[in-house]
Structures are given as structure tokens and as C-alpha cells.
């Protein structure tokens, strides 16, 4: 091992990344900071393990039928109408063996760690071991990798592994594997073909494999159009009535639009397209600098990086919403493979610099290490997805901070309340309790209490549980938490006064209610005491 310092560095970096991200993501989950998306994917996997593939009441609650038409969430809603993700079936056997939300967290960390190893093998096709290792370390330190890995489970975590594998198969001319991975990339999400289109575009403009590149571009573009216009609408109208409008509604004339209509809107309004591309100007620059930082800004001058990464990058730049340019959110991962492959090719085309950077005395190597350190520091200090809530305040002005000892002291109380809910019972829970209750057929988010069951009947859930303390703690800095807190308090007052639900337990600001039972006197007293304190704190805020 000592004779292979590059390989040793990669193995050390991979182990460090795996342990760092796994420890903090599991800690985030078990202290009730994983949130709604973790619950959605866990319920999708849980239903899949019971033969009900891609069904989810939690996804139904976000559907256009519920959000826009006021319908009740249903248990047989197919998530494929929102996001077409058949690649998740690859991991269903693993989940069947370990059917827990935390399994998805371990899976995500493992997939991203494995992507770094494949990246090293890919880099070694062109570069010396130490330089290839430095690029791999850059991957593990990248803001766009660390942040999304420290998040809830998401389907995009498969993209780096599949794309690096595809590029390696191309270099080795393992065309059977190349096309297999191309299909898997398309199966990740309905929009993952955009990144694959970038690979095909590179193969054409670089003249390496123009025919294969043309085939890849045709396959990916055709797949996106057929999928989003013909297949996904079979399951629901979410793609046209919600997702296209939420992300690209500025190019549409009405309240719904297909991908073809959005593309037409872009092409017929080039001025708006140009404005969207460069606004917000400083936000766009900051985002690009964040993507380039871990590679010491080499992708900015690497033609192949622009060729491949330009298309997933355009998807983000041309969209609207705060999340598109957030480097700690999962969408940033789609840009990463093209940037890193382009950097590999740039270094291979400049051997004089490659030799120099390997030297420990190299000024550029010291600058590169500085960039890596800065990338990690920026990631940690931004506390992506509140992973480091116990190290850094969630808000400085006003000051909001939850000490580790305080949150862990609440964990036992919350778990004791969750344990009172039968495994087959229907339940409604607040956002951060949803993941821990999502391994069941009937689960929704509060303040909703109704769902449509397998018999087609609209019923009220058996149990409702809410972490009110958390909302109380965060409301002074986050208006949405204050609004949700007031909504929940009003709902609790209403359903307890009408005897629809009884309060059966109350601990540490967490309330547990059951349908059709009388309230436990001690629990009701504890709730009323907290309710009075809540009124005082709300008035004071």
C-alpha cells in the first residue's frame, strides 16, 4: 500500500467520507431531523416490498389533485406521475431485508462513496495515481456532493455512480455496459436524460464517437418527450399541472403545460430565456464558483466540462425557485459528473501542469488544498439540511439554537409516544415525525386528518401526533413554523372539543391523539398547561 500513495489516499478519503456522512446523517435521522422526503421514499419502498409499487399517500398529499383541487389523499396514488423512478427497484431487495428509513440513508451514503471510487478508476485512464487521487478527494469534498449526501434520501444520489460508470465503460469500450448504464440513468428520474444528453453532445463535438453520441442524444431526448407527454400523464396530471408550472411556468401561457409546450415557449421567447439564464446574476456566479471550487476552478476552463455539464446546468439556470441554485440541495449533484470528467481531460491535455501539481512544493497544489478545505468549511458552516443543528444555530438574528443534550433528552419521550401507535394503524404526523411512521399503508402529514383507503372510502386517521415544541422553538425565526403551529393548535382545540379525538399522551411538547376515545386526564392537563405557555410565548413573539 505504501508503494501506491494515490490508492492509499483514495481509500482513506473514501472511508473518511463514508464514516463522516453516515454518522451525521444517521444522527440527523435518529434525533428527528430527517423530514418529509425521507418519509415519501421510505413509504414508496415499504409499499414496493408489499407488492404495491410506487404507491404513496405522502406523495398523494403533494399531488395536484390534493394541492389544487382539494381532493383527499389516497393510498393507491402512484408516485410515477410526479417522478418516474423505476431505478429504485434495484435497491428494493436490500430494503426488503432491512425495512427501515435508516436503510435508505445507508444506501445513499454507500452509492455516493462508491461513485468516488469509480471516479478514481476513470481518472486513472488518463492521469497519474496521485493526481487521480486528488480529483477523487475533490469529489468527496465538493459542496455539491457533501450537502446532498447529508440530506434526506433522494433518487439523484444514483446519478454520480451511474454516469461515472458510463464514462468508464466508454473509455474501456465496454459498450454493453455503456448502454446498460445509459438505460439506468434514464430510469433514475424523468429529467435525468438531460445529463445523458450532455454526454452524447460531448461525444459528437469531440468527434470521439459521433455516431454513438448522436444515438445517445436521440435516445435521451426522445425518452424525455415520450415519458413526460405520454407515459407519466397516465398516472396523474402532476407533470403538466404542477411540476412544469412550478419550475418553468414563466414560459407557459396558462395554468398547465407539457414539456413540449415549455420548450416551444423557450424557443419563441429568446429574450425571456436570456434573462432567466443570467438572473439572479450574483446568485448564478456564486453557484458556478461553488461548483468549480473543489477542483480549483479548472472546470471553468475545461471544454469537456462545459460540453457535458452545460445541459443539466441549463435546466437549473432556466428554472425558477430558490432550490435550483442551492448547491447543498440534490439537484446540484446532476452537474458534478460532467465537471469532474472535463477536469480529468483538461489535466491529461496539459501534462506539464500535471507533473508540477504532484510535487508537494507546488504552489497550485497548495492552492488546490486550500480550495478543498474551504469547500468543506463552507459546507459545514452552512449546516445543510440542518445536519449540524447542534453545532451551529439555525438562526443568528433572532437567535435559534437547539443543544444536543436538549434534543437527545426529547428523543426518548418522542419514541415512547411513537411506540403507542400500532404498526397497522393510520396516522397523521408533523413533518419531522413522518419518516419514523412512514413504513405503513396509511400515513399523511398534519394538519390533514382524512385519507381515502383501499376500499375507496374517505376516513379519518386513527392517530395524530404533533411535535409542537419544535415549531414553538423555531417560530421566532421562521414564519412558516409559526403559521403551522397556530394551525395545529386550532385543529387540536377543534377536534378535542368535538370529541373526534382524545389526547392520550403528552410529553415534552409532543401530543398524541386517538380517534374516538376520551382524553386521558393527565395528558389533557399537560396539554392545557403547555397551551397556556404557548399563548404567552406567541404573544411575546
Amino acid at each position: 500500500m505504501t508503494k501506491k500513495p494515490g490508492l492509499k489516499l483514495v481509500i482513506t478519503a473514501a472511508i473518511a467520507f463514508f464514516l463522516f456522512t453516515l454518522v451525521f446523517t444517521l444522527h440527523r435521522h435518529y434525533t428527528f431531523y430527517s423530514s418529509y422526503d425521507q418519509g415519501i421514499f421510505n413509504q414508496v419502498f415499504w409499499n414496493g416490498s408489499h407488492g404495491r409499487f410506487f404507491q404513496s399517500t405522502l406523495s398523494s398529499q403533494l399531488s395536484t389533485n390534493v394541492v389544487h383541487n382539494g381532493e383527499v389523499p389516497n393510498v393507491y396514488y402512484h408516485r410515477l406521475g410526479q417522478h418516474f423512478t423505476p431505478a429504485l427497484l434495484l435497491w428494493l431487495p436490500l430494503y426488503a431485508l432491512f425495512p427501515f428509513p435508516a436503510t435508505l440513508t445507508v444506501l445513499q451514503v454507500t452509492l455516493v462513496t462508491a461513485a468516488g471510487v469509480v471516479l478514481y478508476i476513470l481518472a486513472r485512464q488518463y492521469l497519474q495515481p496521485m493526481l487521480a487521487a486528488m480529483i477523487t478527494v475533490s469529489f468527496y469534498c465538493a459542496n455539491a456532493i457533501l450537502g446532498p449526501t447529508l440530506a434526506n434520501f433522494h433518487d439523484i444520489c444514483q446519478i454520480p455512480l451511474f454516469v461515472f460508470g458510463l464514462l468508464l465503460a466508454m473509455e474501456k469500450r465496454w459498450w454493453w455496459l455503456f448502454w446498460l448504464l445509459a438505460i439506468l440513468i434514464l430510469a433514475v428520474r424523468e429529467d435525468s436524460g438531460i445529463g445523458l444528453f450532455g454526454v452524447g453532445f460531448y461525444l459528437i463535438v469531440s468527434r470521439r464517437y459521433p455516431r454513438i453520441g448522436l444515438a445517445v442524444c436521440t435516445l435521451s431526448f426522445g425518452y424525455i418527450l415520450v415519458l413526460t407527454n405520454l407515459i407519466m400523464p397516465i398516472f396523474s396530471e402532476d407533470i403538466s399541472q404542477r411540476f412544469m408550472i412550478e419550475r418553468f411556468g414563466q414560459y407557459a401561457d396558462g395554468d398547465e403545460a407539457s414539456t413540449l409546450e415549455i420548450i416551444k415557449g423557450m424557443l419563441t421567447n429568446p429574450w425571456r430565456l436570456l434573462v432567466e439564464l443570467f438572473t439572479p446574476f450574483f446568485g448564478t456566479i456564486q453557484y458556478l464558483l461553488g461548483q468549480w471550487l473543489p477542483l480549483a476552478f479548472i472546470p471553468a476552463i475545461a471544454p469537456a466540462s462545459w460540453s457535458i455539464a452545460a445541459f443539466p446546468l441549463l435546466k437549473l439556470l432556466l428554472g425558477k425557485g430558490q432550490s435550483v441554485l442551492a448547491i447543498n440541495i440534490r439537484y446540484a449533484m446532476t452537474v458534478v459528473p460532467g465537471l469532474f470528467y472535463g477536469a480529468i481531460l483538461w489535466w491529461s491535455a496539459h501534462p506539464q501542469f500535471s507533473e508540477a501539481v504532484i510535487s508537494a512544493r507546488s504552489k497550485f497544489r497548495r492552492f488546490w488544498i486550500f480550495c478543498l478545505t474551504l469547500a468543506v468549511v463552507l459546507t459545514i458552516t452552512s449546516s445543510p439540511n440542518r445536519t449540524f443543528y447542534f453545532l451551529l444555530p439555525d438562526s443568528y438574528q433572532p437567535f435559534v439554537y437547539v443543544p444536543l443534550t436538549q434534543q437527545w433528552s426529547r428523543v426518548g419521550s418522542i419514541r415512547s409516544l411513537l411506540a403507542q401507535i400500532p404498526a397497522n394503524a393510520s396516522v397523521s404526523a408533523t413533518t419531522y415525525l413522518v419518516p419514523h411512521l412512514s413504513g405503513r399503508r396509511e400515513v399523511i402529514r398534519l394538519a390533514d386528518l382524512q385519507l381515502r383507503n383501499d376500499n375507496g372510502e374517505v376516513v379519518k386517521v386513527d392517530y395524530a401526533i404533533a411535535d409542537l415544541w419544535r415549531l414553538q422553538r423555531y417560530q421566532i425565526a421562521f414564519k412558516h413554523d409559526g403559521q403551522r403551529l397556530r394551525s395545529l393548535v386550532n385543529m387540536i382545540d377543534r377536534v378535542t372539543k368535538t370529541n373526534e379525538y382524545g389526547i392520550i399522551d403528552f410529553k415534552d411538547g409532543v401530543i398524541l391523539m386517538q380517534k374516538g376515545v376520551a382524553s386521558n386526564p393527565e395528558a389533557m392537563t399537560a396539554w392545557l398547561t403547555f397551551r397556556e405557555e404557548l399563548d404567552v410565548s406567541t404573544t411575546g413573539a
Side-chain angles (χ1 to χ4, degrees):
M1 184 69 70
T2 56
K3 295 181 180 179
K4 298 180 179 180
L7 182 59
K8 181 179 180 181
L9 178 60
V10 168
I11 293 174
T12 302
I15 293 173
F17 176 86
F18 180 84
L19 293 177
F20 177 83
T21 52
L22 184 63
V23 167
F24 283 109
T25 48
L26 288 179
H27 178 267
R28 176 177 177 267
H29 174 69
Y30 285 117
T31 56
F32 296 95
Y33 272 78
S34 59
S35 55
Y36 201 71
D37 281 358
Q38 187 84 10
I40 288 176
F41 280 103
N42 186 65
Q43 191 187 31
V44 167
F45 273 94
W46 186 88
N47 271 323
S49 66
H50 289 79
R52 307 181 187 102
F53 300 107
F54 301 105
Q55 295 182 12
S56 169
T57 51
L58 295 170
S59 287
S60 178
Q61 207 167 7
L62 298 178
S63 68
T64 187
N65 290 342
V66 174
V67 174
H68 297 136
N69 301 333
E71 297 182 12
V72 175
N74 67 74
V75 297
Y76 43 82
Y77 173 84
H78 282 85
R79 189 174 181 270
L80 296 177
Q82 292 180 5
H83 294 297
F84 200 82
T85 56
L88 294 179
L89 294 174
L90 290 172
W91 322 113
L92 192 55
L94 174 66
Y95 183 86
L97 291 174
F98 307 99
F100 311 105
T103 300
L104 303 184
T105 297
V106 177
L107 173 62
Q108 178 160 285
V109 170
T110 302
L111 289 173
V112 179
T113 304
V117 176
V118 175
L119 172 62
Y120 174 72
I121 300 172
L122 175 62
R124 283 290 291 118
Q125 307 306 304
Y126 288 95
L127 307 175
Q128 296 183 17
M130 201 61 195
L131 183 53
M134 283 290 291
I135 289 176
T136 306
V137 173
S138 300
F139 173 81
Y140 288 132
C141 294
N143 312 66
I145 292 298
L146 270 174
T149 305
L150 293 169
N152 298 316
F153 178 84
H154 54 87
D155 38 31
I156 297 176
C157 71
Q158 304 165 97
I159 287 293
L161 177 61
F162 290 169
V163 176
F164 287 144
L166 176 104
L167 294 170
L168 178 61
M170 179 194 71
E171 297 294 349
K172 294 287 191 179
R173 298 186 182 183
W174 297 335
W175 298 115
W176 66 269
L177 181 58
F178 177 90
W179 289 111
L180 174 62
L181 287 169
I183 293 171
L184 288 178
I185 290 170
L186 293 176
V188 169
R189 275 171 64 105
E190 68 282 353
D191 55 359
S192 56
I194 296 174
L196 185 63
F197 186 92
V199 174
F201 180 78
Y202 160 74
L203 294 179
I204 294 171
V205 297
S206 67
R207 299 182 181 180
R208 294 186 63 181
Y209 303 105
R211 291 184 179 179
I212 293 176
L214 182 60
V216 168
C217 288
T218 303
L219 172 65
S220 55
F221 187 68
Y223 178 81
I224 293 172
L225 291 183
V226 171
L227 180 63
T228 57
N229 289 277
L230 298 178
I231 298 177
M232 292 178 67
I234 294 174
F235 298 99
S236 72
E237 297 299 325
D238 287 284
I239 189 69
S240 60
Q241 295 183 7
R242 183 176 166 226
F243 290 99
M244 284 293 104
I245 296 299
E246 288 179 0
R247 280 287 179 258
F248 304 103
Q250 66 272 38
Y251 308 107
D253 295 326
D255 295 330
E256 62 178 287
S258 66
T259 50
L260 280 172
E261 291 169 332
I262 293 297
I263 293 172
K264 180 182 177 181
M266 290 179 176
L267 296 177
T268 56
N269 199 336
W271 173 248
R272 174 173 289 178
L273 192 73
L274 194 63
V275 170
E276 290 288 340
L277 184 61
F278 291 102
T279 56
F281 180 76
F282 291 107
T284 300
I285 296 300
Q286 183 180 8
Y287 182 80
L288 291 174
L289 292 176
Q291 288 279 13
W292 297 334
L293 176 64
L295 284 167
F297 304 100
I298 291 298
I301 57 174
S305 290
W306 287 104
S307 299
I308 301 175
F311 292 94
L313 185 60
L314 278 174
K315 173 182 173 289
L316 299 177
L317 296 180
L318 296 178
K320 63 179 180 178
Q322 296 180 347
S323 63
V324 292
L325 291 182
I327 201 164
N328 287 324
I329 294 181
R330 58 190 180 275
Y331 307 117
M333 263 191 179
T334 62
V335 183
V336 169
L339 297 180
F340 275 76
Y341 182 66
I344 291 170
L345 297 182
W346 187 91
W347 281 112
S348 68
H350 298 81
Q352 67 277 22
F353 295 112
S354 302
E355 292 290 341
V357 78
I358 295 174
S359 170
R361 298 179 180 180
S362 167
K363 291 182 179 180
F364 187 85
R365 179 171 177 171
R366 290 197 293 268
F367 172 70
W368 195 348
I369 293 173
F370 168 78
C371 291
L372 294 178
T373 305
L374 181 60
V376 174
V377 170
L378 289 174
T379 299
I380 293 175
T381 54
S382 67
S383 189
N385 309 290
R386 291 182 177 172
T387 302
F388 305 110
Y389 69 90
F390 56 94
L391 295 176
L392 300 163
D394 288 292
S395 173
Y396 288 90
Q397 187 62 38
F399 188 80
V400 178
Y401 172 66
V402 179
L404 182 63
T405 52
Q406 186 174 27
Q407 185 63 12
W408 269 108
S409 70
R410 301 183 65 243
V411 167
S413 298
I414 296 173
R415 291 201 171 281
S416 69
L417 293 174
L418 295 176
Q420 297 179 48
I421 303 174
N424 60 346
S426 58
V427 61
S428 183
T430 46
T431 299
Y432 295 91
L433 301 181
V434 162
H436 300 265
L437 293 165
S438 56
R440 65 186 68 225
R441 183 68 169 159
E442 301 175 341
V443 55
I444 53 176
R445 177 163 57 183
L446 273 176
D448 288 346
L449 291 170
Q450 292 183 316
L451 55 80
R452 191 177 298 275
N453 62 21
D454 280 306
N455 296 324
E457 302 168 337
V458 175
V459 297
K460 290 196 172 181
V461 295
D462 300 321
Y463 291 84
I465 183 169
D467 186 351
L468 301 170
W469 179 92
R470 182 191 182 101
L471 295 171
Q472 179 193 29
R473 188 61 175 264
Y474 282 99
Q475 67 173 330
I476 61 172
F478 305 99
K479 292 182 179 180
H480 178 74
D481 287 339
Q483 294 169 353
R484 178 155 292 189
L485 177 61
R486 289 188 289 273
S487 174
L488 287 173
V489 170
N490 292 333
M491 183 271 294
I492 293 168
D493 288 343
R494 184 182 70 255
V495 299
T496 53
K497 287 178 181 178
T498 58
N499 296 319
E500 291 180 75
Y501 287 83
I503 301 173
I504 60 175
D505 208 344
F506 186 91
K507 295 178 182 177
D508 282 338
V510 183
I511 189 170
L512 176 62
M513 301 185 295
Q514 185 177 353
K515 182 178 68 175
V517 301
S519 293
N520 178 291
E522 293 182 2
M524 176 60 79
T525 300
W527 156 245
L528 292 176
T529 302
F530 180 83
R531 177 75 168 80
E532 292 178 3
E533 296 173 355
L534 198 61
D535 283 339
V536 172
S537 66
T538 303
T539 304

